[in-house]
Every structure is written in structure tokens, then in C-alpha cells.
Amino acid sequence: MTKQNVEITAEPAEENISTNKRIRQIAGIVIAIVVTFLLGLGSGYLKWGQDETAELKQRKELTELYEQVNPADGYALPVSYEKLGPQLIEAGMIDYDAFMAVMTASGDVISNRQMDILKRGSDDQIVITAENARFLLNFFWAVGLANRNSILTEGPMVQYSEGQIDRFASTGGWTLATKPVTELYASLDLIPLTPEQQARVEEVASAVYRPCCNNYTLFPDCNHGMAMLGLLELMASQGASVDEMFNAAKYANAYWFPQQTMEMAIYLKSNESTDFTDADARLIVSDKFSSASGANMVRQSLQSSGLLKQTPSQGGSCAN
């Protein structure tokens, strides 16, 4: 196995998690940002049609694309929280007060339902939205980090740790626990899997990337990767198919990386006349699009074709 980019942390979780507010800000302004980039760039972007006023046409198309990337009603995952919240708190993986403090300090409004999910669990179906994306990112970060699975005990995390498992952003960056992360890492039988379920997790995790780095989910060295691992494990345990897991990864990444995913949607629409909704989930989450290199390729392509101005990227780092 070729060693991939290792994300080593030097920041406490309060900084890592608190910067999640950037995702909220990006989600709120990404349409305006992209519209600003595109307006005034001439006719290149208008190849989608000339029947309406150019600016109105652009705004309408971008709004439609953004609704595909981050549906206002959310994306329903075929899975429920069950008792994970209470188990994480009881084991010391989540310090409830610290978790709540960091979330509210980030500008998030914590609902009574989210408090119940942590304290009492829930059998309700999980629906990821722009409003709860940070909560789910941090929740599943804890799940993936604590759950005992061979991906963590035998995979790249151990292979590349050099004997210090807390050297990564996804491990040393988690300080919202009541015990040392080295004690909690892969220590809980939260989500036991059958061999067939484990095979499904490994199949999907080996093919799902994230725009903040060039690592796949089998190497969850940042919070996004660890959260994705936890989500995939839970889905497999509750009977989700491989296709359902790929689709869930497509939309989880879209809510966690709204700007990069919006750029992918523009790329697909302008280059392949494909809507994000219809795009193959396996392609969207692959290294071609969803790795840092892939996302950069998309951005450079949009810039070179005149669809996006040269500008610093917004968010999407492993610290989100």
C-alpha cells in the first residue's frame, strides 16, 4: 500500500471544531460567491441558454444547482442513531457539556432533538441538512474514532502512526472526551459488523475521498474521514446496501464541503450536461472529483474555461 498524505494535528479540538462555523458561512454565501465570479465574465457561462436575461438565467441555474447539492429539505439516510449518543457519553468519548459548548461557540443553535440524540438516543431516521451538518460531522467523528474496527486497529492509521496514534488530526484533534484519546481509540464495540457488513464498509471506504486531502476513508486521518467511517459503519450495520452507502457519502460530502461540491456541480453541468442529482455517486466521491487533487482540477478547469475567476478557495480544510 502506498503511503498517502498524513494529516498531523497541532491544534486542539476546540479550534478544529469551532472552525466548523466556516462551513455554515460558506453554505449561506456560496451562491452569492459563485454568482459574483460568473457575472461579468462574458458569454462563456451562458452556453446553457440565451432565452432569458443573462444574469437572471445564471442566478436561476445556480440556485437550481445549489438545491441539488444541498437540498433545503435535506437528504434522508436509511439509518437511525439508536443509542450511540448515550453510549459515547457513558464511555467518556463525548463530554456532553464540552461538546455543547464548542457547538454553541461555533454559532450553531443546538436543538432539543439534538440534545435528546446525545442523552437518550433516537430511533428516528437521520436526515442531513445544512443546519445539522456540523452536528453530524462532530457526532460521527466521535463514533468513527471510538468504534472498534479492523480499519482502525490494522489499517493505515496504525501503519502510519509511528507508534503515536494521537498524531493525526482525527485523533489528537479530538479533546471533547473525559479520557485520553489514546485510551478511547477503537475501544468500544459500538457497531459490531458481520463479515459481509465489514466487506461492504471496506469496499465503500476504499473509494470515498474528501476534498480536504488526498486520502480515502480507509485512512481517516482527519475529522471528515473519521466521521465518514462512522457513518458507513452504522449504515452497514443497519442493512444499507453499497449503493445506498455511496449515495450517502455523496451527500454527506456535499453538506460538509458545499463550495467544492458546488464547483463540481457546475463542472458537470457545463462540461457533461449532467445534473449533480443524476451524477453517479461513485464518480462524485472518487479521487477524480472529491480528493484535494480532484477538487483542484475542477476549480482549475472552471477557471481556465472562464467559468470561475482566480480567487482563493473558501474553506474545506481538515480543520473544519
Side-chain angles (χ1 to χ4, degrees):
M1 180 181 296
T2 302
K3 184 173 180 178
Q4 302 188 25
N5 293 344
V6 178
E7 183 67 22
I8 302 174
T9 182
E11 300 176 272
E14 285 82 355
E15 294 181 19
N16 285 343
I17 300 176
S18 66
T19 51
N20 277 327
K21 63 184 178 182
R22 292 209 301 266
I23 300 179
R24 173 177 51 80
Q25 294 166 343
I26 293 168
I29 66 174
V30 67
I31 297 178
I33 291 174
V34 179
V35 168
T36 300
F37 293 161
L38 297 176
L39 294 179
L41 292 180
S43 61
Y45 187 69
L46 303 181
K47 60 185 178 182
W48 298 0
Q50 296 285 350
D51 297 333
E52 301 178 34
T53 303
E55 182 176 341
L56 292 177
K57 178 73 171 179
Q58 291 170 357
R59 290 183 183 277
K60 178 181 177 181
E61 291 170 338
L62 288 170
T63 300
E64 290 173 352
L65 278 181
Y66 187 72
E67 174 60 22
Q68 292 180 29
V69 170
N70 278 191
D73 293 333
Y75 183 82
L77 305 169
V79 70
S80 63
Y81 298 95
E82 296 185 335
K83 296 297 183 182
L84 286 175
Q87 289 175 305
L88 290 166
I89 291 175
E90 181 180 0
M93 187 67 214
I94 289 180
D95 181 323
Y96 177 83
D97 292 336
F99 187 97
M100 288 291 119
V102 167
M103 291 291 293
T104 54
S106 302
D108 293 283
V109 176
I110 305 301
S111 67
N112 290 333
R113 183 165 180 264
Q114 289 169 342
M115 294 179 187
D116 284 342
I117 289 166
L118 287 176
K119 288 184 173 181
R120 287 176 277 279
S122 173
D123 292 327
D124 292 344
Q125 183 177 16
I126 300 176
V127 179
I128 185 170
T129 67
E131 289 72 31
N132 72 3
R134 280 83 56 201
F135 173 82
L136 290 177
L137 174 62
N138 294 327
F139 179 84
F140 280 112
W141 179 2
V143 172
L145 184 57
N147 187 50
R148 183 179 290 114
N149 189 281
S150 59
I151 291 174
L152 294 189
T153 59
E154 301 173 16
M157 290 289 286
V158 170
Q159 296 167 18
Y160 303 153
S161 70
E162 300 178 356
Q164 295 178 292
I165 200 62
D166 58 343
R167 69 192 293 260
F168 303 109
S170 61
T171 52
W174 182 264
T175 61
L176 301 183
T178 61
K179 301 176 183 178
V181 72
T182 51
E183 292 182 19
L184 294 166
Y185 178 83
S187 64
L188 306 177
D189 291 319
L190 296 174
I191 309 174
L193 300 175
T194 66
E196 192 275 334
Q197 291 169 340
Q198 179 70 20
R200 269 184 277 157
V201 170
E202 293 181 6
E203 176 183 350
V204 180
S206 66
V208 174
Y209 288 74
R210 48 197 185 269
C212 58
C213 61
N214 283 323
N215 297 333
Y216 48 18
T217 303
L218 279 176
F219 185 20
D221 66 330
C222 75
N223 55 346
H224 295 95
M226 194 64 77
M228 185 66 74
L229 177 61
L231 174 59
L232 295 178
E233 290 170 341
L234 183 62
M235 291 187 69
S237 74
Q238 295 186 17
S241 68
V242 166
D243 285 342
E244 288 174 322
M245 292 163 71
F246 271 113
N247 282 320
K250 171 183 174 180
Y251 282 95
N253 266 355
Y255 282 104
W256 292 339
F257 297 95
Q259 179 176 333
Q260 290 92 336
T261 310
M262 183 67 176
E263 291 172 1
M264 292 178 208
I266 295 172
Y267 177 92
L268 290 169
K269 186 69 173 179
S270 60
N271 287 277
E272 302 178 16
S273 299
T274 300
D275 285 332
F276 180 80
T277 303
D278 300 326
D280 181 10
R282 286 172 172 79
L283 176 64
I284 292 297
V285 301
S286 71
D287 58 342
K288 179 178 179 179
F289 285 114
S290 285
S291 65
S293 298
N296 186 56
M297 177 278 295
V298 168
R299 170 170 282 268
Q300 289 182 349
S301 176
L302 293 179
Q303 290 172 340
S304 64
S305 60
L307 303 185
L308 201 64
K309 285 184 178 179
Q310 296 282 348
T311 182
S313 63
Q314 300 287 324
S317 72
C318 286
N320 283 344

